């Protein structure tokens, strides 16, 4: 007899196979937009979508030149415009995260592996250029102990001047099937992440399928990466 996890995996596979690439792109776009950190780049999906966009552009051009029904051409064009919007928005959101957290991502091996080849080239150039600019224009004029772009003082070992994503941000999410024993955390003194201690809640959290939940991203991060939870 199949286990619950096997059934969940089978359901996920069947649902995945029933979705078009545009729907998969929309899901990836929604996930990236809702997550506070940068997620894994969907390289295979993006490659297929780009190929489909090229094919759709050729089809619309061919239909237009051959005097095809204008209504049909406009429907093809609308579908093309929608796909192009999703792709551009997906890539733009990722670039915004890279620009905002570039030094943190560049210094974290796990996050670097989530980037595409072009994104890795972009973040490397950005980090080098920005660091060079700051050192020449500002930092070289300051006392030695304040010449780091990562720390307020070289005496401090913590990289307190590097912007990092707030994983304690609340997100709206939903799962396709039951998930149990999710351990949530609560700020002991009610302060935001980084300024107060956190303690686990006494009762493990459970998620029912197709029900929207409002929880901290950190608590469901693992399930988001595994594709078991969708963000909204």
């Amino acid at each position: 007899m199949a286990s619950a996890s096997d059934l969940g995996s089978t359901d996920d596979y069947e649902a995945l196979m029933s979705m078009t690439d545009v729907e998969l792109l929309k899901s990836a776009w929604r996930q990236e937009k809702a997550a506070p950190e940068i997620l894994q780049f969907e390289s295979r999906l993006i490659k297929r979508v780009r190929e489909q966009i090229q094919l759709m552009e050729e089809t619309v051009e061919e239909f237009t030149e051959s005097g095809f029904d204008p209504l049909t051409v406009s429907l093809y064009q609308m579908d093309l415009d929608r796909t192009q919007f999703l792709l551009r928005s997906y890539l733009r959101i990722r670039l915004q995260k890279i620009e905002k957290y570039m030094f943190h991502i560049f210094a974290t091996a796990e996050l670097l592996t989530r980037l595409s080849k072009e994104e890795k080239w972009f973040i490397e150039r950005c980090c080098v250029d920005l660091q060079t600019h700051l050192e020449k224009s500002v930092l070289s004029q300051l006392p030695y102990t304040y010449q780091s772009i990562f720390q307020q003082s070289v005496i401090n070992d913590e990289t307190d001047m590097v912007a990092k994503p707030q994983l304690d941000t609340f997100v709206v999410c939903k799962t396709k099937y039951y998930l149990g024993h999710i351990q949530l955390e609560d700020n002991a003194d009610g302060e935001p992440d980084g300024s107060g201690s956190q303690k686990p809640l006494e009762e493990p959290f459970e998620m029912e399928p197709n029900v929207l939940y409002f929880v901290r991203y950190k608590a469901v991060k693992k399930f988001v990466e595994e594709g078991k939870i969708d963000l909204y």
Side-chain angles (χ1 to χ4, degrees):
M1 180 178 295
S3 64
S5 59
D6 293 336
L7 290 174
S9 300
T10 303
D11 291 343
D12 280 348
Y13 178 76
E14 292 177 351
L16 186 65
M17 294 304 293
S18 67
M19 297 178 68
T20 65
D21 283 339
V22 175
E23 291 171 329
L24 291 174
L25 176 60
K26 185 176 181 180
S27 177
W29 166 77
R30 189 173 56 234
Q31 295 274 91
E32 195 67 61
K33 188 175 182 181
E37 64 175 350
I38 195 162
L39 301 178
Q40 181 66 47
F41 181 72
E42 301 289 346
S43 56
R44 294 182 179 179
L45 172 62
I46 298 304
K47 181 180 179 180
R48 295 198 307 269
V49 168
R50 282 173 169 161
E51 291 173 350
Q52 291 175 17
I53 287 177
Q54 183 178 358
L55 179 61
M56 291 165 67
E57 288 175 335
E58 294 173 355
T59 301
V60 170
E61 183 178 358
E62 181 182 345
F63 282 178
T64 303
E65 292 177 351
S66 61
F68 214 75
D69 179 26
L71 178 59
T72 302
V73 175
S74 65
L75 291 176
Y76 272 89
Q77 185 65 52
M78 287 174 58
D79 197 31
L80 173 60
D81 293 341
R82 180 185 62 158
T83 306
Q84 288 178 323
F85 167 79
L86 287 174
L87 178 59
R88 291 167 180 167
S89 183
Y90 172 75
L91 297 176
R92 188 181 302 115
I93 291 169
R94 293 183 61 84
L95 281 179
Q96 289 172 346
K97 290 183 179 180
I98 290 173
E99 290 176 344
K100 186 175 183 179
Y101 306 119
M102 66 173 73
F103 289 115
H104 173 65
I105 296 174
F106 192 65
T108 308
E110 178 191 355
L111 297 179
L112 266 181
T113 60
R114 301 180 182 180
L115 306 184
S116 67
K117 180 181 179 181
E118 294 78 10
E119 289 172 340
K120 288 178 181 177
W121 179 86
F122 175 76
I123 194 173
E124 183 177 354
R125 287 295 303 273
C126 279
C127 287
V128 172
D129 291 347
L130 181 58
Q131 184 172 355
T132 301
H133 170 71
L134 291 176
E135 287 175 350
K136 289 183 177 179
S137 61
V138 179
L139 299 178
S140 60
Q141 310 300 321
L142 300 177
Y144 170 74
T145 54
Y146 299 101
Q147 290 185 0
S148 172
I149 63 173
F150 307 111
Q151 304 158 300
Q152 293 190 40
S153 172
V154 295
I155 303 175
N156 186 7
D157 294 332
E158 183 182 357
T159 55
D160 50 4
M161 293 185 65
V162 175
K164 301 177 182 178
Q166 298 298 314
L167 302 185
D168 271 354
T169 300
F170 279 91
V171 294
V172 178
C173 59
K174 182 171 66 174
T175 179
K176 301 180 183 67
Y177 50 91
Y178 173 81
L179 291 176
H181 306 292
I182 302 175
Q183 186 61 63
L184 300 182
E185 292 181 340
D186 190 19
N187 286 343
D189 53 7
E191 294 296 328
D193 182 33
S195 60
S197 59
Q198 292 188 334
K199 59 182 181 180
L201 296 178
E202 294 181 1
E203 294 293 334
F205 184 63
E206 298 179 349
M207 295 184 69
E208 297 290 340
N210 300 318
V211 177
L212 288 175
Y213 292 90
F214 190 56
V215 298
R216 295 184 188 275
Y217 175 77
K218 183 190 295 184
V220 297
K221 178 179 182 294
K222 177 182 69 173
F223 299 107
V224 172
E225 293 172 351
E226 293 174 352
K228 296 180 179 179
I229 284 181
D230 294 329
L231 303 179
Y232 290 86

